[in-house]
Amino acid sequence: MQKVITINLNGNAYQLDETAFDTLRAYLDRAERQLKDNPDRAEIMADFEQAIADKCRRFLAPQKSVVAAAEMAQIVAEMGPVDGGEEARGGQDQQKESGMGEQARTSAAAPKRLYRIEDGQMFGGVCTGLAAYFDIDVTIVRIIVLALLFVTKGAGILAYFALMFVIPYASTSEEHAAAHGDPFNAQELLDKAKRQAEEFKQRAEEFATHGEWRQHLPGHGRWRAQQRAWKRNLRRSVREQAAWARGHADWARSWGAWVPGEPGYATQVWAGMLMPILGVIGLAMFGLLAFSVYSLVTTSALFGWPLPAGIPLWAGILILFAVYHLVTSPIRAARQASRYAWGRHYGWWALWDGAFAIGATCFVIWLVYQYMPPVENLRDFMDKLPDAIRSMSADFRTWLNAVRDWFQRVGDAF
Amino acid sequence: MGANEKFAAIRKGLLEFLILKIVSADKVYVADMLERLSSTEFATQEGTLYPLLSKMRRDGLVDYEWQESDAGPPRKYYELTEKGKSQLAELTDYWKSINATISQLGR
């Protein structure tokens, strides 16, 4: 028993079961792609829909209202592959003559990009993403990461967080395919999702027959997570197909809603990299503002520049705030834009951005506490700053050397 | 490779010519054309025929009109244009001359 999906073929409604719908969808997608350069594409697609509708009617009867999968398969076979016309044929010949083997073509066409993967993640999905990219088991990647963390005496956690900011989550099916290096096309994706769903169904049956006492075994939690992941994958594939069919973004734009464009991989990486940088710059700007206001209030002069005659103190403070607002407006605009690059995971962006801000502030406060002696006023602070910076960098260099020595010792041991 | 495969490209190239011949006889719709070809060596499919017909229409060789049909939605009925008729005459002559050449070669 399958779900029934009602479709519109050239103005008339037809009912197909799920598998038939998938088959038809894949056929029409392929046809659309073959006719990409054809000026009559829309008309030919309408003709196809009409021909398919005529064929569907052959299989329907008063007591049979749904077109089954086998019947749709027959219809699609009768329709035959779509001949795009001279443009498509010319393109294909060019491909053959270019001398590249077909295998080289597919491997060049299927991109492999580093993403973070949500399924099976423990914390931020960095390890699962690395595992998918290098085709290694996730557990091994985690062990390596923990070992590196140990070596750097805990400072490696910063590298982990950096990776979390910079590497984007794989959200769409296309991104998931790129994460594993699989070529992305509608049919393959559906096949894969269906295979996983069938595996899951089989295992569900096995599980049911082996009885419920297994529910209390430790493996059960992981298995349920796996179940959920498979179901989510399948639902996502089908949902994406349906959304593509309806052209959701275009529809939203048509009534004036602003739909941000789909961010590409480079955009997401760039946004991730900018997040801590912009955060630091923003914090520095704010620190400067606070410092300026403090200096103005306590000494009636901004770092030694006295206020021009006739401007009261409160006006000076307002001017400072206005200047701050003006100077940080490009930074704030960039941060807004970065948020959209993370799309669905915007919540996580906000969380990590806030955590980073707090962390950076605490780090600066700790540095000041460690290295700065007590100061009287601004002049005193400027005098004592170079020494503080010198001792800071000396300590940093010592730490770096310790790490380098550790690596050398490991290298010698092998 | 049997004769079927060796002549596949030729059959593909002749398809346009044959469609012109079929349409010249009387007004037809696509399902009709496919049916007439289905019993011959030139049997083809919608996936090939629709793009071909649209190209022929762009070249001005055929034109269609919508006709109501009693069983179902209106369909496109194709007929030859003047340009199509002259093109058909040209191709028929050329075909006859090729035929003669092939018969004479290799005597």
Side-chain angles (χ1 to χ4, degrees), chain A residues 27 38-40 43-44 47-48 50-51 54-55 57 77-83 86-87 89, chain B residues 12 34 44-48 50-52 54-55 57-58 64 66 71-76 78:
Chain A
Y27 177 79
N38 198 314
D40 289 325
E43 189 176 348
I44 298 178
D47 286 337
F48 282 152
Q50 187 54 52
D54 289 336
K55 290 184 199 273
R57 265 205 298 279
E78 279 177 23
M79 292 290 293
V82 174
D83 183 5
E86 274 169 7
E87 300 88 1
R89 234 178 287 136
Chain B
K12 192 163 186 188
L34 287 169
T44 183
Q45 295 168 308
E46 281 91 343
T48 321
Y50 278 114
L52 177 62
S54 84
K55 177 176 153 297
R57 193 176 65 85
R58 260 180 286 138
Y64 65 78
W66 292 97
R75 304 195 231 225
K76 291 182 183 169
Y78 282 87

Side-chain angles (χ1 to χ4, degrees), chain A residues 72-305:
Chain A
M72 183 53 76
Q74 193 182 332
I75 291 174
V76 162
E78 279 177 23
M79 292 290 293
V82 174
D83 183 5
E86 274 169 7
E87 300 88 1
R89 234 178 287 136
Q92 283 169 20
D93 288 340
Q94 268 177 17
Q95 277 186 15
K96 281 195 207 113
E97 282 164 7
S98 76
M100 281 172 102
E102 223 184 45
Q103 257 193 350
R105 279 221 150 243
T106 34
S107 60
K112 194 165 194 185
R113 299 202 191 104
L114 184 57
Y115 282 100
R116 286 188 288 141
I117 294 186
E118 219 174 325
D119 292 337
Q121 72 172 8
M122 271 198 157
F123 191 53
V126 171
C127 294
T128 43
L130 287 169
Y133 188 79
F134 291 116
D135 271 334
I136 317 173
D137 191 37
V138 184
T139 324
I140 296 181
V141 173
R142 289 197 178 122
I143 293 174
I144 295 176
V145 164
L146 282 173
L148 285 174
L149 212 65
F150 198 64
V151 162
T152 55
K153 297 198 182 95
I157 199 85
L158 290 174
Y160 184 84
F161 277 110
L163 286 176
M164 271 189 75
F165 292 155
V166 171
I167 306 177
Y169 260 131
S171 351
T172 68
S173 302
E174 187 170 2
E175 288 172 352
H176 268 87
H180 293 276
D182 298 331
F184 175 73
N185 61 60
Q187 189 59 25
E188 271 200 41
L189 218 61
L190 274 171
D191 290 340
K192 192 169 179 195
K194 256 190 251 141
R195 249 180 289 129
Q196 284 180 341
E198 273 167 27
E199 267 183 56
F200 152 64
K201 256 185 253 165
Q202 269 181 4
R203 293 214 194 167
E205 284 167 10
E206 284 176 22
F207 185 82
T209 54
H210 285 300
E212 280 103 31
W213 58 272
R214 287 180 70 128
Q215 262 184 25
H216 300 290
L217 287 186
H220 181 71
R222 302 293 324 271
W223 187 72
R224 286 222 130 252
Q226 186 74 4
Q227 260 181 308
R228 265 181 262 129
W230 282 333
K231 255 202 236 164
R232 209 186 308 145
N233 272 335
L234 182 60
R235 258 186 266 130
R236 185 186 52 227
S237 307
V238 176
R239 203 190 327 134
E240 275 178 10
Q241 297 268 310
W244 182 90
R246 279 174 310 184
H248 182 78
D250 296 323
W251 168 77
R253 281 194 199 102
S254 72
W255 53 265
W258 177 70
V259 180
E262 186 83 24
Y265 183 70
T267 314
Q268 289 175 317
V269 172
W270 187 235
M273 283 202 279
L274 274 185
M275 185 225 293
I277 297 173
L278 291 175
V280 165
I281 296 178
L283 282 172
M285 290 277 114
F286 184 73
L288 201 61
L289 173 73
F291 210 47
S292 322
V293 170
Y294 174 75
S295 143
L296 193 63
V297 164
T298 48
T299 65
S300 286
L302 186 65
F303 302 127
W305 293 327

Side-chain angles (χ1 to χ4, degrees), chain B residues 29-56:
Chain B
Y29 57 91
V30 178
D32 240 356
M33 293 184 223
L34 287 169
E35 203 191 334
R36 288 193 206 177
L37 288 172
S38 66
S39 47
T40 71
E41 301 94 334
F42 293 89
T44 183
Q45 295 168 308
E46 281 91 343
T48 321
L49 199 51
Y50 278 114
L52 177 62
L53 278 169
S54 84
K55 177 176 153 297
M56 287 165 73

